[in-house]
């Protein structure tokens, strides 16, 4: 790591020492001064398109300059409040509003809109614009989930730059030019990227809005809860937004160690099942509603003492706490049961030091084996793209089919025969890119969705890692697959031939075996497979759950319930404790914290459970804005 | 069935070698495609993108940026009428009105019924000394008068009828307008 030169800059009288190359807007943030921006985004390359960030910089020409593309220099003096700068920004805002429809009262962005906020803080108090405004058809559906309002757009190009730089796609482009420029999807076709939803968060105005949350409520009417996404093993941090007991939207919550503020469309839009009016809420035995006690006793009678004749299907998103309790059941009354976890890979629990997601940034060569990262671990896929396109890492992909990482011209794609990935990995040791990688090497491996022999592949990758000095990252798919593996409950057994079946979460992927005589279901939605179930227990959804997940790199993160699990719905740990009692194993925990403390003691990998962080989100620093011009 | 002919695609594939940045070839490639088809269809843009190993969205962005790339069908002959200062002072508005009447359209970009003509208003063509000026396809027509506009239009109509009857083969060999021939006036011309 070369030493970075530090420079001193004066911003509105505050002296701040920052690394050379820091942009003026970033330096100003450090001393709590807001320089307003539209086109600038700290995760995108600066472009200087909107001129909202004009400040006076000396030494320099006597004009207002864009602070978002200007790196600091030693001795630079920045004035954000000089008459010139204040007026320049107000003028820019006046231009931004020339064609803006000012429909804030019906705009979903209203209340959390930078354009609205900046107009209040930096703009002229009255408008001089009385000419005709540009009109477009609106809203234009960009995809089933995203609507585009071209009249509100200020052409900051954040969305198209994100598509180009981060997602490596060109589905969204700028059409036409000058004042007639518009954001357009390629040939007006719907967006298909798995990463499209991020443009809603990026948009600094109400031009890109969610169609799922359109005209539903105002942002200030929502309660938000910091939580963790439950759709895959990456563990992106999200904010869940609740209103009147409904989960109304999911947005990203930046965590530079994992997601860098991006989430995939599955995490963002796949939440409507939480509000489904058909949700199961009352336990039922043979189709008639009953109490929890009766239902759980029926389940206990049905599954007790069955040994290997009992099959259990686990959801992919069970929490560590649930897995811990379930482990107690497996060690006790349910010993010998066959367990099959949903959506998991065939990969074994990791051993030794693993690669962290953050470390992908610094890798010089990245090898991805037998994983369609775009769909299996979407946000890791974005991290790989960043390392390749912004940091110049070389990429080698071993996969039988075309993958979206092929979009980079220099990607080396080795197409193996399905099942032959391990052989290709062994050949890689002599690859020219690995002779002198010039830095860390990262090997990310999946299981080819079952097409590869996992044990052989892990051995081959470990061997290669030892030869070239690389670090390994197993790409699990199941949300808490890694936690469940560490707790020893992530079964991989076939459920064929079992007589009793407890299907927790969605029904087994292979279907309910014909041999099942007693079928208990614990799910949050009614499904056709439940028709012949003896007992149906209502389950909580991810929005009502508390507990923790271990993500694919082994990081333990805490879920927080955004929506209350209202009676008769019971939290899963509570149900498991009562089921255990019905099975003759007294587990009397009074809440989730004692479970977490005990799990932390019993499993070193869960040590983080002993001290859950405060559920209160860190306050957002308030940046000083200037007075009106 | 591809939108562009195979020999054209070969020509397009050879273009990137001429430029330091391979994607610089997108403009000449689109030009070739437009030459062949008259206007750029999404299929044609996609094929150009595939031939140049670019994303179709990027090609579309370039095509929509430049007004000389046509995304809608245009006439076989395109009039680019200069309405900038010098031409305007020398009667560009009259030229536009006369042209609209002669080819029978109401607005820029509209294609005449026979599919032969369309017109656009453009900025300075750089021939102010000959104002008013119009670019007709790849040729400048200068010092325009009403009669000259009519004859430019009618010649091309006649050429088409000649081509149909096989009398003449191409426009380029046309001598000065044969003014004596009966001129079919459009109904709207006044």
């Amino acid at each position: 790591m070369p030493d970075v030169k530090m420079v001193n800059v004066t911003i509105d009288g505050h002296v701040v020492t920052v690394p050379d190359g820091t942009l003026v807007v970033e330096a100003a943030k450090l001393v709590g001064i807001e320089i307003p921006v539209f086109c600038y985004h700290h995760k995108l390359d600066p472009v200087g398109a909107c001129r909202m960030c004009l400040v006076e910089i000396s030494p320099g020409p006597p004009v207002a300059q864009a602070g978002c593309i200007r790196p600091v220099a030693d001795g630079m003096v920045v004035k954000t409040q000089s008459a010139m700068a204040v007026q320049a920004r107000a003028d820019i805002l006046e231009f931004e509003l020339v064609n803006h429809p000012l429909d804030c009262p019906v705009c979903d962005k209203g209340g959390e809109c930078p354009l609205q906020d900046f107009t209040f803080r930096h703009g002229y108090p009255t408008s001089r614009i009385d000419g005709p405004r540009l009109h477009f058809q609106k809203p234009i559906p960009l995809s089933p989930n995203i609507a585009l309002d071209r009249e509100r757009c200020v052409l900051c190009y954040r969305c198209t730059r994100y598509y180009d730089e981060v997602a490596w796609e060109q589905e969204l482009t700028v059409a036409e030019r000058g004042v007639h420029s518009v954001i357009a999807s390629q040939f007006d076709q719907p967006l298909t990227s798995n990463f499209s939803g991020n443009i809603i968060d990026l948009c600094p105005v109400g031009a890109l809005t969610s169609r799922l949350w359109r005209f539903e409520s105002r942002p200030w009417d929502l309660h938000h809860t910091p939580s963790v996404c439950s759709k895959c093993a990456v563990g992106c941090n999200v904010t869940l937004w609740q209103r009147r007991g409904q989960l109304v939207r999911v947005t990203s919550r930046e965590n530079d160690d994992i997601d860098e503020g991006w989430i995939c469309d599955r995490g963002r839009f796949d939440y409507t099942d939480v509000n489904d009016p058909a949700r199961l809420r009352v336990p039922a035995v043979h189709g008639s509603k009953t109490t929890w006690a009766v239902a759980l006793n029926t389940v206990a009678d049905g599954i007790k003492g069955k040994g290997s004749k009992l099959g259990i299907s686990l959801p992919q998103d069970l929490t560590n706490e649930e897995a811990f309790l379930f482990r107690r059941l497996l060690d006790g009354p349910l010993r010998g049961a066959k367990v099959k976890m949903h959506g998991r890979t065939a990969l074994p629990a990791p051993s030794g030091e693993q690669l962290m997601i953050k470390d992908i940034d610094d890798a010089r060569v990245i090898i991805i084996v037998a994983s369609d990262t775009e769909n299996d671990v979407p946000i890791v896929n974005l991290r790989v793209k960043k390392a390749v396109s912004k940091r110049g890492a070389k990429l080698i992909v071993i996969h039988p089919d075309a993958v979206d990482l092929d979009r980079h011209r220099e990607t080396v794609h080795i197409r193996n025969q399905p099942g032959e990935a391990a052989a290709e990995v062994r050949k890689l040791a002599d690859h020219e890119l690995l002779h002198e990688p010039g830095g860390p090497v990262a090997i990310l491996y999946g299981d080819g969705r079952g097409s590869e022999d996992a044990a052989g592949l892990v051995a081959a990758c470990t061997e290669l890692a030892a030869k070239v000095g690389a670090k390994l990252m197993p790409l699990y798919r199941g949300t808490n697959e890694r936690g469940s593996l560490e707790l020893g409950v992530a079964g991989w057994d076939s459920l064929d031939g079992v007589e009793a079946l407890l299907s927790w979460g969605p029904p087994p992927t292979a279907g309910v075996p014909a041999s099942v005589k007693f079928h208990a279901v614990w799910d949050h939605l009614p499904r056709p497979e439940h028709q012949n179930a003896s007992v149906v227990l209502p389950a909580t959804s991810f929005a009502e759950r508390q507990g923790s997940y271990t993500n694919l790199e082994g990081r333990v993160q805490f879920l927080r319930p955004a929506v209350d699990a209202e009676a008769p719905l019971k939290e899963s740990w509570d149900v498991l404790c009562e089921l255990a009692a019905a099975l003759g194993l007294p587990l009397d925990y009074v809440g989730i914290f004692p479970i977490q403390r005990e799990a932390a003691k019993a499993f070193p990998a869960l040590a983080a459970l002993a001290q859950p962080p405060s559920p209160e989100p860190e306050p957002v620093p308030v940046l000083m804005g200037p007075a009106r011009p | 069935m591809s939108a562009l002919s195979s020999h054209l695609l070969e020509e397009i594939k050879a273009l990137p070698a001429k430029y330091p940045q391979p994607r610089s070839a997108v403009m000449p490639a689109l030009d070739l495609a437009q030459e062949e088809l008259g206007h750029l269809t999404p299929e044609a843009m996609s094929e150009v993108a595939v031939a140049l190993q670019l994303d179709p969205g990027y090609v579309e962005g370039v095509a929509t940026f430049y007004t000389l790339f046509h995304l809608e069908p245009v006439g076989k002959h395109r009039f680019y009428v200069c309405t900038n200062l010098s031409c305007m002072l020398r009667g560009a508005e009259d030229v536009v009105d006369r042209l609209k009447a002669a080819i029978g359209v109401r607005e820029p970009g509209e294609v005449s019924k026979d599919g032969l003509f369309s017109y656009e208003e453009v900025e300075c063509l750089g021939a102010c000394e000959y104002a008013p000026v119009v670019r007709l396809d790849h040729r400048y027509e200068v010092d325009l008068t009403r009669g000259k506009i009519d004859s430019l239009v009618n010649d091309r109509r006649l050429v088409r009828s000649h081509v149909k009857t096989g009398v003449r083969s191409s426009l380029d060999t046309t001598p000065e307008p044969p003014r004596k021939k009966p001129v079919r006036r459009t109904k709207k011309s006044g």
Side-chain angles (χ1 to χ4, degrees):
Chain A
M1 195 75 189
D3 282 336
V4 182
K5 200 180 131 204
M6 301 299 280
V7 295
N8 290 318
V9 208
T10 311
I11 301 174
D12 288 350
H14 303 269
V15 179
V16 56
T17 308
V18 292
D20 198 13
T22 306
L23 297 169
V24 169
V25 282
E26 289 294 330
K29 274 185 204 168
L30 296 176
V31 285
I33 291 169
E34 175 193 71
I35 298 179
V37 287
F38 291 125
C39 70
Y40 176 76
H41 188 271
H42 56 293
K43 296 293 178 195
L44 301 175
D45 294 342
V47 60
C50 72
R51 321 309 287 178
M52 189 62 248
C53 57
L54 291 175
V55 290
E56 189 178 338
I57 295 175
S58 57
V63 290
Q65 300 181 54
C68 78
I69 45 173
R70 187 73 194 268
V72 294
D74 208 15
M76 182 186 269
V77 178
V78 178
K79 287 181 187 157
T80 69
Q81 304 293 325
S82 71
M84 183 216 285
V86 169
Q87 194 197 337
R89 287 196 301 266
D91 288 348
I92 290 292
L93 268 170
E94 196 170 15
F95 278 125
E96 299 287 14
L97 296 176
V98 163
N99 284 309
H100 192 82
L102 296 173
D103 54 353
C104 306
V106 294
C107 176
D108 280 338
K109 194 79 176 179
E112 50 178 20
C113 174
L115 179 60
Q116 201 177 34
D117 294 348
F118 294 158
T119 305
F120 273 103
R121 293 208 284 270
H122 303 271
Y124 292 119
T126 53
S127 171
R128 294 184 295 175
I129 312 286
D130 58 358
R133 288 160 197 259
L134 278 181
H135 289 292
F136 295 101
Q137 177 211 337
K138 60 187 251 182
I140 298 167
L142 280 184
S143 80
N145 298 322
I146 304 173
L148 166 66
D149 185 322
R150 287 176 174 162
E151 293 178 1
R152 293 179 189 154
C153 179
V154 294
L155 291 171
C156 67
Y157 310 128
R158 273 191 195 180
C159 52
T160 56
R161 282 152 61 215
Y162 159 80
Y163 251 90
D164 186 30
E165 289 173 28
V166 179
W168 287 9
E169 305 216 24
Q170 297 275 349
E171 286 185 317
L172 201 64
T173 51
V174 186
E176 307 295 331
R177 74 176 153 180
V179 71
H180 299 291
S181 297
V182 287
I183 302 300
S185 64
Q186 180 173 299
F187 304 127
D188 295 327
Q189 297 300 304
L191 303 181
T192 55
S193 168
N194 188 23
F195 305 104
S196 63
N198 287 319
I199 60 176
I200 299 175
D201 280 356
L202 280 175
C203 186
V205 296
L208 294 164
T209 48
S210 163
R211 292 178 74 192
L212 299 186
W213 184 61
R214 197 171 166 75
F215 301 146
E216 285 287 323
S217 53
R218 312 314 307 254
W220 59 83
D221 285 337
L222 310 180
H223 294 279
H224 62 279
T225 312
S227 189
V228 179
C229 180
S230 64
K231 304 297 176 199
C232 81
V234 180
C236 300
N237 292 196
V238 294
T239 305
L240 304 178
W241 299 76
Q242 176 265 127
R243 182 173 185 252
R244 296 183 184 169
Q246 304 260 303
L247 183 68
V248 293
R249 85 176 166 167
V250 179
T251 56
S252 65
R253 184 162 63 88
E254 193 169 316
N255 181 341
D256 276 351
D257 290 340
I258 297 173
D259 53 57
E260 292 201 286
W262 314 127
I263 55 175
C264 70
D265 284 6
R266 252 187 297 159
R268 184 182 301 270
F269 297 123
D270 195 0
Y271 64 81
T272 45
D273 54 332
V274 175
N275 308 325
D276 196 326
R279 276 281 299 275
L280 298 173
R281 294 193 181 272
V282 187
V285 174
H286 296 297
S288 49
K289 290 180 181 174
T290 180
T291 60
W292 274 101
V294 172
L296 285 172
N297 281 325
T298 317
V299 175
D301 291 344
I303 63 175
K304 204 171 190 174
K306 283 276 195 280
S308 64
K309 294 284 177 202
L310 170 65
I312 299 170
S313 160
L314 285 186
Q316 61 163 348
D317 57 349
L318 83 168
T319 60
N320 285 324
E321 290 74 8
E322 290 157 16
F324 174 72
L325 295 177
F326 186 64
R327 172 75 191 267
R328 302 273 312 259
L329 286 177
L330 275 187
D331 288 346
L334 303 183
R335 186 184 296 274
K338 289 181 175 171
V339 181
K340 174 92 168 79
M341 186 176 181
H342 243 273
R344 66 159 288 189
T345 59
L347 299 174
S351 59
E353 197 193 352
Q354 303 289 312
L355 183 78
M356 301 299 274
I357 293 176
K358 197 182 167 67
D359 297 340
I360 295 176
D361 279 357
D362 298 323
R364 301 314 301 157
V365 180
I366 301 170
I367 304 168
I368 297 177
V369 188
S371 178
D372 170 16
T373 48
E374 183 193 11
N375 295 308
D376 290 354
V377 282
I379 298 305
V380 170
N381 171 285
L382 289 189
R383 189 67 90 140
V384 170
K385 285 173 176 168
K386 175 189 169 196
V388 172
S389 62
K390 297 202 175 181
R391 301 197 169 207
K394 303 284 181 215
L395 180 61
I396 302 174
V397 177
I398 300 180
H399 197 274
D401 307 316
V403 292
D404 88 322
L405 293 170
D406 293 340
R407 288 169 202 273
H408 200 271
R409 278 165 185 255
E410 287 170 17
T411 301
V412 179
H413 189 152
I414 300 168
R415 289 175 191 245
N416 59 304
Q417 294 294 319
E420 304 284 317
E424 297 291 345
V425 172
R426 291 208 167 82
K427 282 185 215 161
L428 270 189
D430 300 324
H431 197 277
E432 53 176 347
L433 288 178
L434 293 171
H435 282 162
E436 277 182 19
V441 177
I443 304 178
L444 286 64
Y445 60 94
D447 71 338
R449 292 208 167 238
S451 69
E452 304 292 332
D453 164 36
L457 188 61
V458 175
C461 290
T462 316
E463 208 174 287
L464 178 68
K467 266 186 203 159
V468 300
K471 278 194 191 170
L472 290 162
M473 175 185 275
L475 298 176
Y476 298 112
R477 276 198 306 275
T479 307
N480 199 22
E481 186 176 337
R482 175 144 181 186
S484 308
L485 279 170
E486 279 160 349
L487 283 159
V489 299
W492 186 247
D493 309 326
S494 162
L495 298 180
D496 289 341
V498 299
E499 285 174 5
L501 176 69
L502 171 60
S503 70
W504 180 2
T509 27
V512 178
S515 56
V516 168
K517 290 176 191 144
F518 176 84
H519 183 196
V521 165
W522 187 14
D523 201 350
H524 72 293
L525 282 178
R527 298 178 209 261
E529 288 87 347
H530 298 175
Q531 213 149 42
N532 298 321
S534 310
V535 184
V536 177
L537 303 175
T540 49
S541 69
F542 69 92
E544 291 133 3
R545 203 171 293 154
Q546 54 176 331
S548 65
Y549 290 146
T550 305
N551 81 346
L552 55 79
E553 51 175 359
R555 191 185 298 268
V556 176
Q557 300 188 101
F558 290 84
L559 284 174
R560 309 209 180 276
V563 181
D564 293 335
E566 278 178 30
L569 215 53
K570 264 179 194 265
E571 289 194 61
S572 309
W573 63 267
D574 203 358
V575 176
L576 280 170
C577 288
E578 288 184 17
L579 180 64
L583 286 166
L585 172 73
L587 291 181
D588 40 2
Y589 295 104
V590 291
I592 201 156
F593 296 117
I595 305 176
Q596 289 176 334
R597 278 198 295 274
E598 206 173 309
K601 259 185 247 161
F603 294 91
L606 298 180
L609 285 186
Q611 286 200 324
S614 159
E616 291 299 316
E618 280 180 34
V620 182
V622 178
L623 301 177
M624 295 278 293
R628 288 185 182 286
Chain B
M1 185 62 196
S2 65
L4 299 171
S5 60
S6 54
H7 69 87
L8 192 85
L9 285 172
E10 289 309 313
E11 211 173 320
I12 289 173
K13 280 177 191 162
L15 284 172
K18 295 182 184 172
Y19 300 91
Q21 286 275 338
R23 67 174 188 178
S24 306
V26 67
M27 302 247 311
L30 285 173
D31 221 15
L32 288 172
Q34 177 163 294
E35 200 92 326
E36 181 168 284
L37 298 177
H39 72 286
L40 295 172
T41 57
E43 295 77 32
M45 286 188 267
S46 300
E47 281 171 28
V48 168
V50 171
L52 298 178
Q53 294 180 303
L54 295 168
D55 281 290
Y58 175 75
V59 176
E60 190 196 12
V62 172
T64 55
F65 185 90
Y66 295 101
T67 51
L68 289 180
F69 289 129
H70 304 292
L71 305 175
E72 299 293 329
V74 287
K76 186 181 170 205
H77 302 292
R78 279 99 49 207
F79 288 88
Y80 300 97
V81 189
C82 173
T83 52
N84 212 304
L85 185 62
S86 307
C87 290
M88 180 65 79
L89 291 172
R90 301 267 295 156
E93 281 168 339
D94 277 352
V95 171
V96 171
D97 287 344
R98 188 67 177 192
L99 186 63
K100 273 157 64 171
I103 63 178
V105 300
R106 277 164 298 178
E107 54 187 21
E110 189 182 336
V111 184
S112 62
K113 274 189 189 145
D114 50 12
L116 273 183
F117 302 105
S118 61
Y119 88 96
E120 279 155 57
E121 293 179 20
V122 296
E123 301 306 332
C124 187
L125 289 170
C128 304
E129 63 271 41
Y130 303 116
V133 175
V134 60
R135 197 189 114 191
L136 173 53
D137 298 334
H138 293 295
R139 233 183 102 108
Y140 275 25
E141 301 293 343
V142 300
D143 292 327
L144 292 174
T145 59
R146 291 182 177 199
K148 209 162 177 183
I149 292 166
D150 287 346
S151 61
L152 286 173
V153 171
N154 289 327
D155 286 354
R156 277 151 187 81
R157 284 217 176 100
L158 286 173
V159 165
R160 192 177 76 144
S161 58
H162 282 285
V163 170
K164 270 186 183 168
T165 53
V167 176
R168 290 234 177 99
S169 58
S170 91
L171 182 68
D172 293 344
T173 56
T174 311
E176 272 302 294
R179 299 193 62 92
K180 280 168 280 175
K181 290 197 171 169
V183 172
R184 190 160 58 92
R185 298 251 172 211
T186 53
K187 282 172 194 164
K188 283 182 184 172
S189 66

